[in-house]
Amino acid sequence: MRISPLRLVHLRKLILSCSLLLMGLGGYASSHREAPLISTDPLADNTDVYAFKSPDDPNTITIIANYIPFESPEGGPNYYNFGSNIRYEIHVKNRTNTPGDDITYRFTFTNTNEDPTTFFNIRLGKQNLKTTYKCEKSTNGGATFTTIIANGIVPANNIGPRSIENGTVGLGKSYETLRTEAIATASSGEQVFCGPADDPFFVDLAGAFDVGNFRPEGNSVNKPKDAVARYNCHTIALKIPVNLLQKDGKTVSQATTILDPDFVIGVWASSSRKMIKTINWGGDVGLDGDWIQVSRLGMPLTNEAVIPIGMKDKWNAVSPYGGEDLQFAKYFTNPELALYMDDSQFGGAVPSLRGLRIQSKSLGSFDFRNGKPGLFGLKGNSALDGTALAEAAFGGVLLPDAASPRAVDLLPIFYTGVPNLKPYQLATGKNGNPLAAGKPFIHNFLPTLGDMLRLNMAVPATPRNDPNFSSLGLVQAAVLGLTNPTYANPNLQFIPNMDGFPNGRRLEDDVTTIELQAVGGVVLAAIGLWYDDYTPGTSPSPVTTNLTNVLGFSAGPTKNDTTLRAAFPYVQTPWRGYDYSLKARQ
């Protein structure tokens, strides 16, 4: 059967509209190209989310949402930019008794060709594309939005010296000036920056996806490689006064303690596209109808390294609200990665993870390997009274059955945050009983039962020049609280890195290593459920060989490939296409 050229054009349009519609319906995403559908839509791909106490201002929180993975600095003539038909949103939750967002920041971008007669991106002081944005804010669950920045500026891509600094054929300004001019102050008090930046994430993707074949030591032939080194992304950054995020408008000075439960927020980000609609067989494809979310991200690496590939698009297609994420709880209570940290499963086949071995007989009896009972044998026991594991508290979620051992540690990290309740306190002061009260070191509990970053805004920032500052975040805070004489007491006090992941996420935090250590049972050990080589009453210290191996494990790259900035927006200027050296960026 022959198809006429005109009909073939319409058929192609119909196929395109159907494929785009399916992508819109199924394709939320997180991290870099990790879900099948979003990998074809880079402008909408939300790569990372950060939320942390601003290191230079104790009264503000910085939230950063990055988009567009693997931007090559030389990627002309059509350089990456924010999409004009995309809604980019940052979502904040500060109450448990509301159904959705408590605060939403919405960004929409407009791209303009200032000189369509040239093939250059920048020429004679004009840009193709020149990008501006509108930022709107909602504080009533998205029912209404107020414009807080009407005409924000996105700085140009850092193409090269002739395009940027040259006053005759380029823009005639330093890139630092362009960047500074792009920082806006919203009518509601937030500082805002939108623009290209160095991608601050770091990870050995090649090792990770060769069945966990990390190469932390490396060798002269096969060195660990940061897969996103010298790539750019596009950043949306907000520096927000704490009182604008705190549910009752309180400032940091009004917090009762550094773990005040009223100062916990949840943060996640998303992007949405308009649904594609074809009017009829002979009609053109157009944008019409509802906005459909095509990307979301809260906790790092959830969809990349926890959710299996067959479920990634489905995971991305649900909201973190209303308990919808609970359908994926089994991937946290029995994580696939744990199989490669268990010698009775596949641990022997992945030697790079040999330092991570999950407790199978903690305190002589508790087995946390996949499918094992964990602490379920204590369910209903009076020993759990007064703890978060009691049935009157959260036992139904944390001890659901006899084959979900990691519901007690991994699930709350991702879905509720961790409460300052027994047993979730450091083993310091417990005298060998993990269910006893210990040293408080975290409270970012916001039990919405959905994936998001959770941050206690009352916790001070660790100075970046503090000798105890560590990219291992709360893991290092726990180590200090267990072993350092300054902190090894049962009292509440600030321990360096209490402001680190998973209490929010700082730009410096090595989230890949931290999450692998967590799958390896380090959180269980921190609260007194020690590794198998610790024998109560005989071993002189719980810091055994197994625990030392876990703490010494590294996933490879341990920091960003370049420096971070000391002032907002903290991310480094984008790599320059013409000159790939660090010198050209600063």
Side-chain angles (χ1 to χ4, degrees):
M1 180 181 69
R2 295 191 60 181
I3 302 176
S4 69
L6 180 60
R7 186 161 181 152
L8 183 60
V9 169
H10 289 318
L11 181 60
R12 286 172 176 166
K13 287 182 177 180
L14 180 62
I15 293 171
L16 174 64
S17 69
C18 291
S19 63
L20 289 176
L21 176 59
L22 287 172
M23 183 171 68
L25 289 174
Y28 298 5
S30 61
S31 299
H32 298 64
R33 287 176 46 83
E34 95 305 335
L37 291 176
I38 199 63
S39 65
T40 65
D41 191 8
L43 299 190
D45 191 350
N46 184 188
T47 65
D48 284 286
V49 177
Y50 304 84
F52 54 92
K53 179 68 71 71
S54 304
D56 57 343
D57 186 352
N59 298 306
T60 65
I61 299 297
T62 295
I63 299 175
I64 294 174
N66 288 337
Y67 294 85
I68 313 176
F70 301 111
E71 292 184 24
S72 171
E74 302 107 325
N78 297 301
Y79 292 87
Y80 285 107
N81 216 327
F82 290 110
S84 58
N85 295 314
I86 302 173
R87 275 182 178 171
Y88 301 88
E89 293 182 324
I90 292 175
H91 312 264
V92 179
K93 189 84 184 132
N94 59 26
R95 299 177 185 274
T96 58
N97 60 354
T98 52
D101 286 353
D102 295 303
I103 304 169
T104 311
Y105 293 95
R106 175 179 293 169
F107 293 81
T108 50
F109 294 85
T110 301
N111 298 320
T112 303
N113 280 321
E114 292 188 309
D115 182 7
T117 67
T118 179
F119 64 84
F120 289 114
N121 186 272
I122 295 174
R123 189 186 73 158
L124 304 177
K126 295 182 179 180
Q127 291 179 233
N128 298 319
L129 300 163
K130 183 172 184 178
T131 305
T132 57
Y133 68 90
K134 177 173 69 172
C135 177
E136 301 169 277
K137 180 178 180 180
S138 174
T139 57
N140 58 6
T144 59
F145 281 84
T146 300
T147 299
I148 59 174
I149 297 177
N151 195 34
I153 299 170
V154 176
N157 283 284
N158 195 6
I159 297 171
R162 200 177 304 276
S163 298
I164 303 299
E165 289 90 356
N166 190 282
T168 302
V169 295
L171 297 178
K173 296 181 179 181
S174 70
Y175 198 83
E176 191 65 34
T177 298
L178 294 176
R179 198 171 193 253
T180 301
E181 290 176 346
I183 297 175
T185 299
S187 59
S188 47
E190 301 89 343
Q191 279 190 287
V192 182
F193 171 81
C194 298
D198 162 67
D199 190 334
F201 188 49
F202 46 95
V203 65
D204 182 0
L205 286 178
F209 292 107
D210 185 24
V211 195
N213 194 16
F214 292 99
R215 40 193 172 178
E217 297 88 2
N219 53 56
S220 59
V221 177
N222 193 20
K223 296 180 180 179
K225 179 184 178 182
D226 178 1
V228 294
R230 297 200 170 192
Y231 280 108
N232 295 328
C233 62
H234 269 64
T235 287
I236 297 175
L238 299 99
K239 190 175 186 181
I240 310 170
V242 168
N243 66 291
L244 296 183
L245 296 172
Q246 202 276 337
K247 61 184 180 180
D248 300 313
K250 294 179 181 178
T251 63
V252 173
S253 62
Q254 293 177 281
T256 56
T257 73
I258 60 171
L259 293 180
D260 189 331
D262 288 337
F263 280 73
V264 178
I265 59 171
V267 177
W268 60 288
S270 69
S271 64
S272 302
R273 284 190 178 275
K274 269 205 166 185
M275 186 179 291
I276 304 296
K277 183 177 181 180
T278 300
I279 304 304
N280 54 50
W281 179 257
D284 289 334
V285 176
L287 298 177
D288 190 28
D290 296 335
W291 287 90
I292 304 297
Q293 186 173 298
V294 297
S295 175
R296 70 151 166 156
L297 180 59
M299 289 285 283
L301 302 173
T302 298
N303 209 17
E304 194 158 36
V306 178
I307 307 299
I309 194 166
M311 299 296 291
K312 288 181 184 294
D313 293 326
K314 184 175 183 180
W315 183 89
N316 284 323
V318 301
S319 165
Y321 298 129
E324 290 186 86
D325 275 347
L326 282 178
Q327 65 185 294
F328 308 103
K330 63 183 178 182
Y331 303 118
F332 298 89
T333 61
N334 284 286
E336 180 187 357
L337 277 169
L339 299 175
Y340 312 106
M341 303 173 190
D342 178 357
D343 288 331
S344 69
Q345 297 289 334
F346 310 115
V350 188
S352 58
L353 298 179
R354 63 185 177 274
L356 305 177
R357 287 296 179 267
I358 300 161
Q359 296 93 320
S360 62
K361 49 182 179 180
S362 179
L363 303 182
S365 59
F366 298 111
D367 192 342
F368 293 96
R369 294 174 298 171
N370 280 16
K372 303 300 182 180
L375 293 180
F376 186 78
L378 298 177
K379 190 176 181 71
N381 192 304
S382 60
L384 299 182
D385 292 349
T387 76
L389 306 179
E391 288 302 296
F394 307 102
V397 173
L398 301 173
L399 297 174
D401 55 54
S404 301
R406 310 310 295 279
V408 76
D409 63 326
L410 294 184
L411 191 68
I413 289 172
F414 282 80
Y415 275 18
T416 67
V418 182
N420 180 25
L421 295 172
K422 298 181 292 185
Y424 298 108
Q425 296 167 332
L426 287 180
T428 300
K430 291 186 175 183
N431 296 317
N433 178 8
L435 299 177
K439 184 179 182 67
F441 83 118
I442 183 173
H443 183 102
N444 63 351
F445 189 59
L446 192 71
T448 59
L449 300 177
D451 182 282
M452 60 185 73
L453 276 176
R454 288 168 171 83
L455 171 68
N456 191 314
M457 301 184 293
V459 178
T462 304
R464 298 321 191 245
N465 61 356
D466 188 314
N468 286 313
F469 182 86
S470 171
S471 63
L472 293 182
L474 271 181
V475 172
Q476 182 63 17
V479 171
L480 294 173
L482 291 168
T483 64
N484 189 304
T486 302
Y487 310 108
N489 62 74
N491 304 316
L492 172 62
Q493 64 182 136
F494 176 69
I495 310 172
N497 304 297
M498 284 173 64
D499 58 320
F501 181 78
N503 183 29
R505 180 186 178 188
R506 304 171 298 189
L507 291 166
E508 297 88 350
D509 286 336
D510 182 0
V511 296
T512 306
T513 294
I514 294 170
E515 290 192 359
L516 285 167
Q517 290 173 328
V519 174
V522 74
V523 174
L524 298 169
I527 65 175
L529 290 159
W530 304 110
Y531 283 97
D532 297 353
D533 56 342
Y534 172 72
T535 303
T538 59
S539 298
S541 169
V543 185
T544 61
T545 299
N546 282 8
L547 179 55
T548 301
N549 289 341
V550 173
L551 297 176
F553 172 82
S554 167
T558 58
K559 62 181 180 179
N560 188 30
D561 59 311
T562 186
T563 58
L564 298 169
R565 304 293 286 259
F568 182 80
Y570 307 109
V571 289
Q572 187 56 270
T573 53
W575 293 94
R576 170 160 282 185
Y578 181 80
D579 185 345
Y580 226 28
S581 71
L582 177 62
K583 181 179 179 180
R585 302 176 54 245
Q586 296 179 315

